[in-house]
Structures are given as C-alpha cells and as structure tokens.
C-alpha cells in the first residue's frame, strides 16, 4: 500500500513567551529546500498559503509558528547545535535570517527529553551553538535527579504563572545577522524624514522615536495593529533600511524588527512597541530586547534624551506592552563605543506535547 503521509517525531514546547515545534536534525530531510517545505507543511499545511494555518500546527501567530532544529554539536566549543526557523504566517515561506531567544530556552530541555544530552544531577549547563547567529549561548537548566524540572518560582512577562528558571548567557551577539553592530556604519540614519538607529546585537532592529511617527509609544498593540497608515510608514522605512543593514531585500523576511521607543514609565530604561515586523508584539523578543537595551547604552543613537540608564548595576529593563524584560549586560567601556560582551537573560520553558507530525508523502516520502 502506498504511503500517503510521512510521520516525523517532534516535541512541542513553550519556550519563553513563544511556542514551537522542536525536531532532532536527523529526523528532517538533509536537503534544505525539501526541509523547508516539510516545515511549512507541518506548521501551515500543504495547501496554498493560509493565514489561519488550519491544516497545520502553527497556531496562526508569528510567536507560535516557530521551529527549533537541534542536534549534538560537532564543534569543540559547543554541546548542541540549534537552528531556528520562522514559518511565515500566511506567507508559504520560511525565514532563517533571525535567531530566536525564546525557543532557545526550550532547546536544552528538548535535548535532554529527546536523548541528545545527558542531564547532570542538579543543574545542567550546556553550550548551545546558534546557527542563525553563528554564536554561543550558555544555557543553565534545573535537572534534579537528572530529570528536567519544569515547575518553579520564576516569572517572565508574556507567559502565565511561574516555572523553573532557565538562565541564558549570550556571548558576542554583535552583528548576528548583519555582520556588524551598527550595520549602516552610522548611529543615526534618515529614512522618509524620520531619524532611526539600525542595530544588531542579536537581532536586527530599527529603533524609531514614537513621537516622530505621531504616536506616544504607549498605545496598545491592538491600537497600533489597527493603524494602517503607521504600519505602511514603518514598512516603507523597513524596506529601505534592510539593504543598508546588509540584509538584502527584506520584503519577504521577518527582519529587521521595527521598535518604537518612548521614555520609560515604570522604572525601566526605555518603553517599547516592537513590530515583528508587521504585527505588534504583545511583549518584545528576547534578542530584540538585547538590541534595544544596547542602543540605549550607546551615546548618539535615537535613544538619547529618551532612555534613562540605571545609576548602578548591570540590569537594563526594557518596558513593553505586557510588562518589562530585564537584560543583564556586561559592558566593556575601553573603546570609543561601549561593547556588550555578554547578555544574561532569564527564561522559562515547558514541554507541552510529544508525538509525530504527518507530512503528505508528495512533499517528503521518507525512505
Ligand atoms: O528576539 C519575536 C519572540 C521573538 C523572537 C520576534 C525572539 C528574540 O518573541 O530572540 O525571541 O522578534 O519575532 O519570540
């Protein structure tokens, strides 16, 4: 009898304030073009592009239409390799340009659950090589008695309740996708008469002062999502910024993200609204927050006169629509511009399901 569908083992985890499917690299096709079609079929279904993702597991939201591909690393400096794939909602496409710090939080729990990594007796420390950004993050997961602990007292904005802490220490994130921290070579660029700062410290982001676009920066995501004129202005700027940020034509890419900034209102460094890139985020992405916090510590960016830097300590709190995101930055002030050597973040994750996702054999007929 002909095989009509190909089963592929997967797990689904909440990682930080996102949710995604986690696959072992060896369970997916080696050919990247076929692999991407398989991931689109898993998330969105095998038919024409569909914003509802009704024929797949994506959840019809950029924050849930995400995939992590994990394997044992062959690099001496790392334990695991992690590649992030964004399945574009309604786009019949994947985008591997960006990294995702939320799904990263689930990578080590997944690797332990899937037998790729042995847990230590109380906590497991693993070095994850992130293929999208060519950089390493040290991830620390609670593993009492050698099993992943999901329950705990850590709270992160954008995910309900509390859970066991997962600490992510990012090393050398500058230029993750653009090659340079300030990829246009300038602290400020002018697009369509609006001053912006283009920065990539883990995530390519264009920062804009909300007031320069006629907003306060404190509007709700729903209000901003309904503002079609604002969204068109942001997209025009994004399309011009992308090539100058060395990202090429970004029409079908999910980077750069567009972040509106305003003065903080709750003791943080800055207030933010981030478009990822067409939908306003309910919070802010992990590495997006690192890029925004980094822009705040560099004099001469559009954050001047808006950001309020902490008087003491290393914690930079980026305010967003549903709370704040605390980023611990190790900054080297020796050169002409401050350099962020390490960014530490708290995340949580939870295993939600485990099983097989079925792909039409016409897309991949696994031998
Ligand atoms: O910035 C949203 C998210 C993200 C990405 C986005 C992320 C990150 O909230 O590291 O985690 O910017 O598309 O998961």
């Amino acid at each position: 009898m002909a095989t009509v569908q190909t089963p592929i083992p997967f797990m689904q985890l909440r990682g930080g304030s996102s949710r995604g499917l986690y696959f072992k690299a060896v369970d997916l096709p080696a050919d990247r073009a076929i692999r991407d079609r398989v991931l689109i079929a898993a998330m969105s279904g095998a038919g024409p592009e569909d914003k509802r993702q009704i024929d797949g597991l994506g959840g019809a939201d950029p924050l849930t239409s995400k995939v992590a591909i994990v394997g044992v690393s062959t690099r001496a400096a790392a334990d695991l390799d992690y590649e992030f794939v964004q399945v574009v909602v309604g786009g019949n496409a994947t985008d591997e340009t960006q990294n995702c710090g939320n799904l990263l939080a689930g990578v080590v729990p997944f690797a332990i659950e899937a037998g790729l990594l042995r847990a230590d007796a109380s906590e497991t420390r693993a070095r994850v090589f992130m293929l999208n950004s060519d950089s390493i993050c040290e991830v620390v997961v609670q593993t009492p008695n050698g099993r992943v602990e999901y329950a705990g007292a850590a709270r992160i904005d954008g995910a309900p309740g509390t859970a066991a802490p997962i600490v992510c220490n990012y090393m050398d994130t500058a230029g993750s996708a653009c090659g340079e921290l300030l990829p246009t070579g300038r602290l400020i660029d002018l697009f369509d008469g609006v001053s912006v700062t283009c920065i990539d410290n883990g995530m390519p982001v264009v920062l804009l002062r909300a007031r320069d676009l006629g907003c306060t920066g404190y509007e709700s995501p729903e209000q901003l999502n309904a503002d079609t004129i604002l969204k068109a202005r942001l997209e025009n700027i994004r399309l011009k910024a992308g090539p100058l940020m060395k990202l090429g034509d970004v029409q079908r890419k999910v980077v750069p993200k567009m972040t509106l900034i305003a003065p903080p209102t709750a003791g943080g460094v800055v207030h933010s609204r981030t478009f990822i890139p067409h939908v306003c985020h309910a919070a802010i992405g992990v590495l997006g927050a690192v890029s925004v916090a980094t822009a705040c510590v560099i004099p001469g960016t559009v954050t001047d006169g808006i950001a309020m830097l902490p008087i003491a300590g290393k914690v930079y709190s980026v305010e967003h629509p549903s709370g704040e995101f605390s980023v611990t930055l190790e900054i080297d002030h020796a050169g002409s511009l401050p350099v962020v050597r390490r960014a530490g973040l708290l995340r949580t994750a939870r295993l939600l399901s485990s099983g097989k996702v079925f792909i039409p054999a016409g897309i991949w007929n696994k031998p």
Side-chain angles (χ1 to χ4, degrees):
M1 201 177 77
T3 310
V4 290
Q5 300 223 80
T6 300
I8 308 177
F10 79 102
M11 290 186 195
Q12 185 187 41
L13 287 92
R14 173 181 66 75
S17 52
S18 289
R19 192 175 73 210
L21 301 191
Y22 288 68
F23 294 98
K24 287 192 204 176
V26 291
D27 288 335
L28 291 173
D31 181 286
R32 281 185 84 88
I34 301 176
R35 187 200 75 177
D36 286 351
R37 284 205 297 280
V38 163
L39 298 180
I40 293 169
M43 289 305 224
S44 302
E49 53 191 62
D50 176 12
K51 275 199 170 112
R52 303 165 307 150
Q53 295 189 322
I54 204 75
D55 195 35
L57 300 177
D61 186 308
L63 298 183
T64 57
S65 182
K66 296 185 168 195
V67 172
I69 303 171
V70 183
V72 174
S73 186
T74 50
R75 294 166 176 83
D79 303 301
L80 297 168
D81 283 350
Y82 153 55
E83 182 173 5
F84 169 67
V85 181
Q86 179 81 51
V87 177
V88 182
V89 178
N92 207 12
T94 59
D95 190 350
E96 287 93 2
T97 323
Q98 77 169 73
N99 191 359
C100 176
N102 275 310
L103 281 211
L104 171 78
V107 165
V108 175
F110 167 74
I112 295 169
E113 303 282 5
L116 295 172
L117 184 75
R118 255 184 59 166
D120 292 331
S122 67
E123 63 172 32
T124 303
R125 217 168 256 273
R127 297 157 306 162
V128 180
F129 182 80
M130 302 174 293
L131 275 80
N132 307 73
S133 55
D134 233 345
S135 59
I136 288 191
C137 185
E138 180 200 54
V139 181
V140 189
V141 174
Q142 302 305 304
T143 50
N145 306 315
R147 310 255 332 247
V148 180
E149 176 65 89
Y150 293 103
R155 183 184 298 279
I156 59 167
D157 286 323
T162 64
I166 297 178
V167 176
C168 303
N169 294 313
Y170 291 86
M171 320 289 175
D172 296 320
T173 40
S176 67
C178 305
E180 282 169 78
L181 179 71
L182 298 167
T184 67
R186 286 175 291 275
L187 290 163
I188 291 194
D189 289 278
L190 196 67
F191 297 115
D192 297 350
V194 180
S195 295
V196 309
T197 292
C198 301
I199 189 161
D200 173 9
N201 198 16
M203 180 68 73
V205 176
V206 177
L207 278 89
L208 314 95
R209 298 182 198 104
R211 62 164 190 258
D212 290 350
L213 288 144
C215 310
T216 62
Y218 308 116
E219 292 86 354
S220 68
E222 293 73 27
Q223 281 173 308
L224 294 175
N225 279 328
D227 190 339
T228 46
I229 295 172
L230 171 73
K231 292 206 325 188
R233 286 184 76 188
L234 288 176
E235 185 61 2
N236 281 335
I237 295 173
R238 198 179 79 86
L239 295 179
K240 289 177 182 151
L244 284 182
M245 293 175 79
K246 307 188 175 71
L247 292 166
D249 177 3
V250 295
Q251 201 156 7
R252 291 175 70 82
K253 289 190 179 163
V254 293
V255 287
K257 314 292 176 186
M258 306 299 285
T259 298
L260 303 180
I261 56 162
T265 56
V269 167
V270 73
H271 202 86
S272 71
R273 294 288 181 272
T274 301
F275 290 77
I276 57 168
H278 304 122
V279 178
C280 183
H281 202 308
I284 188 170
V286 174
L287 291 157
V290 175
S291 288
V292 170
T294 302
C296 292
V297 303
I298 300 178
T301 69
V302 292
T303 67
D304 275 3
I306 290 182
M308 306 272 284
L309 296 182
I311 294 162
K314 298 176 183 170
V315 179
Y316 293 75
S317 159
V318 178
E319 300 175 3
H320 57 66
S322 48
E324 65 86 37
F325 197 111
S326 287
V327 183
T328 306
L329 297 182
E330 301 265 346
I331 304 170
D332 179 349
H333 288 281
S336 55
L337 286 182
V339 176
V340 174
R341 295 277 174 224
R342 205 176 78 133
L345 309 158
L346 172 69
R347 297 280 81 192
T348 63
R350 192 166 78 83
L351 176 64
L352 304 175
S353 70
S354 166
K356 287 178 185 144
V357 56
F358 289 85
I359 306 297
I363 291 176
W364 187 37
N365 198 353
K366 192 177 177 181

